[in-house]
Amino acid sequence: MKNARYLLLPLAFALLQSCAANLSYSGSPFKKSMESITADELKTHLYIVAADDMEGRDTGSEGQKKAGRYLIEQYQKMGVSHPKSMTSYYQTVPSEAMKGRRGNLPQSENILAFVEGSEKPEEIIVVSAHYDHVGMKNGEVYNGADDDGSGTVALLEMAEAFQLAKKSGHGPKRSILFLHVTGEEHGLLGSKYYADNPIFPMANTVADLNIDMIGRCDAENCGKEYVYVIGSEMLSTDLKKISEQANKETVNLELNYKYDDPNDKDRLYYRSDHYNFAKNGVPVIFYFDGIHEDYHKPTDTPDKIDYKALQKRTQLVFATAWELANRKDRIVVDKK
């Protein structure tokens, strides 16, 4: 009997570990924070970010800068500042770094907001989205509500949720960087500049959770509660497991891996800002709703967004970031 008892010890330890892994989703601080991410607040922000007077947020334009000022105002209201090493929320991207596939562009800015970790502040979780779009053509505004107004406002809501947890004494153990990048529409220029000139070393960057279009559905999936998840196990098997567990414990969406292949004909793994982190060895997830009928058209407007879907997808990213920030061990990069 004595030997049998000792044989059971590893099993008991494994069960304890399993329970511990789920504790971060069961506590009231997490629940209260996640519930602060609401469809109504996402809608309020998006109707402003994707309004006609933003003139389509063309890269480097006054419309984009106006949208950026709105983002900063919201961070200031919620008490979320920029990284301490910066004098403002802006990381200037000089004109020489803004030479895109559609020609030379003016100087622009990435916008960085930061919630410092309580125990391992030097380890950084990046949550990213691009806040530029394609501007105006022939007098028509291309509002870019889904692309990528949806990701832009998702960052605002997640920052507020983490700040709410911090104010209650349950802030993240690792730091969270909310990174709004410029120049995505012209070749991932803002994220490339950040990757080449990181505010925090890439070696200290645990993961990048990148959001680019999460407010609509594509023809294959309308009527389903889903999200495309791309790249989650390209560099870390831990990250995919965490993503799936976070989903199971919270919103329980269908995680669609259709595009989760570097050799997919649409090459989506290479087409948004996460890729500039992945090619520097940082594990990534790219969240995406698919190519719909209003992609890159003036009809990508805020009234067509499914705000409940946007809420649930934002909550999923938040839950994943929460686990990455609060788990005991940093995820392991075990793939090339």
Side-chain angles (χ1 to χ4, degrees):
M1 290 296 294
K2 181 179 178 181
N3 289 339
R5 185 168 70 249
Y6 284 122
L7 286 171
L8 288 171
L9 283 175
L11 177 60
F13 180 69
L15 287 171
L16 282 170
Q17 282 189 314
S18 175
C19 291
N22 295 333
L23 284 176
S24 62
Y25 298 121
S26 62
S28 59
F30 169 76
K31 185 177 179 183
K32 185 176 180 181
S33 296
M34 191 179 86
E35 288 176 350
S36 75
I37 298 169
T38 68
D40 285 345
E41 288 186 5
L42 288 161
K43 184 176 183 178
T44 296
H45 290 312
L46 189 53
Y47 264 84
I48 294 170
V49 168
D52 284 351
D53 63 0
M54 299 297 180
E55 298 181 335
R57 307 187 307 280
D58 196 10
T59 307
S61 70
E62 176 54 31
Q64 187 201 22
K65 293 179 190 298
K66 184 176 180 179
R69 290 193 292 271
Y70 175 77
L71 299 177
I72 290 170
E73 287 170 4
Q74 300 314 302
Y75 285 122
Q76 290 172 331
K77 284 179 183 178
M78 66 181 76
V80 173
S81 190
H82 49 76
K84 290 178 180 177
S85 62
M86 300 174 64
T87 58
S88 74
Y89 293 88
Y90 294 117
Q91 181 189 38
T92 299
V93 184
S95 57
E96 55 265 28
M98 294 297 294
K99 295 177 180 177
R101 58 193 174 208
R102 300 184 186 117
N104 295 346
L105 298 162
Q107 174 180 296
S108 189
E109 301 84 25
N110 293 329
I111 294 174
L112 283 67
F114 187 64
V115 176
E116 187 172 43
S118 58
E119 294 183 15
K120 299 180 179 181
E122 74 286 352
E123 294 186 11
I124 312 297
I125 315 299
V126 176
V127 187
S128 59
H130 71 91
Y131 73 110
D132 65 319
H133 192 53
V134 298
M136 298 179 65
K137 299 177 184 179
N138 301 318
E140 280 193 288
V141 177
Y142 285 61
N143 302 84
D146 195 26
D147 184 14
D148 186 26
S150 59
T152 299
V153 301
L155 264 61
L156 288 179
E157 282 291 279
M158 283 186 278
E160 185 178 46
F162 273 111
Q163 186 69 354
L164 180 67
K166 188 169 185 176
K167 286 178 179 177
S168 69
H170 299 280
K173 295 176 181 177
R174 294 177 178 85
S175 297
I176 315 289
L177 176 65
F178 298 95
L179 176 62
H180 298 268
V181 291
T182 187
E184 191 273 350
E185 297 288 2
H186 294 269
L188 318 182
L189 302 178
S191 57
K192 182 181 187 303
Y193 186 80
Y194 180 87
D196 291 342
N197 303 273
I199 303 302
F200 302 99
M202 283 291 172
N204 291 358
T205 304
V206 174
D208 172 47
L209 306 180
N210 183 54
I211 309 169
D212 195 350
M213 299 173 57
I214 57 166
R216 297 281 298 270
C217 61
D218 63 9
E220 293 179 34
N221 292 285
C222 282
K224 298 179 183 178
E225 293 193 336
Y226 79 102
V227 66
Y228 288 110
V229 178
I230 302 168
S232 62
E233 63 176 352
M234 297 294 188
L235 293 171
S236 172
T237 51
D238 284 345
L239 186 54
K240 184 175 184 178
K241 291 174 185 176
I242 288 167
S243 168
E244 293 187 338
Q245 185 68 18
N247 181 58
K248 181 180 177 182
E249 296 285 335
T250 57
V251 291
N252 202 29
L253 298 174
E254 176 190 330
L255 303 184
N256 191 317
Y257 295 106
K258 174 183 176 180
Y259 297 112
D260 194 24
D261 181 353
N263 298 315
D264 180 80
K265 64 181 178 63
D266 291 303
R267 292 178 59 81
L268 288 173
Y269 179 63
Y270 305 96
R271 286 174 54 184
S272 191
D273 295 294
H274 60 280
Y275 185 63
N276 282 315
F277 287 88
K279 71 182 186 181
N280 281 281
V282 176
V284 301
I285 300 179
F286 171 24
Y287 301 89
F288 179 57
D289 59 26
I291 303 293
H292 51 73
E293 61 186 359
D294 297 310
Y295 174 70
H296 276 208
K297 292 180 180 178
T299 45
D300 181 8
T301 50
D303 58 298
K304 294 186 176 181
I305 297 294
D306 181 341
Y307 288 96
K308 280 294 180 185
L310 177 55
Q311 177 190 23
K312 288 187 175 183
R313 291 161 178 165
T314 303
Q315 288 175 330
L316 170 60
V317 184
F318 172 73
T320 306
W322 180 279
E323 174 62 21
L324 289 169
N326 289 302
R327 70 199 312 265
K328 180 182 176 182
D329 297 317
R330 174 177 172 169
I331 60 170
V332 175
V333 178
D334 54 8
K335 294 186 176 184
K336 293 184 179 180

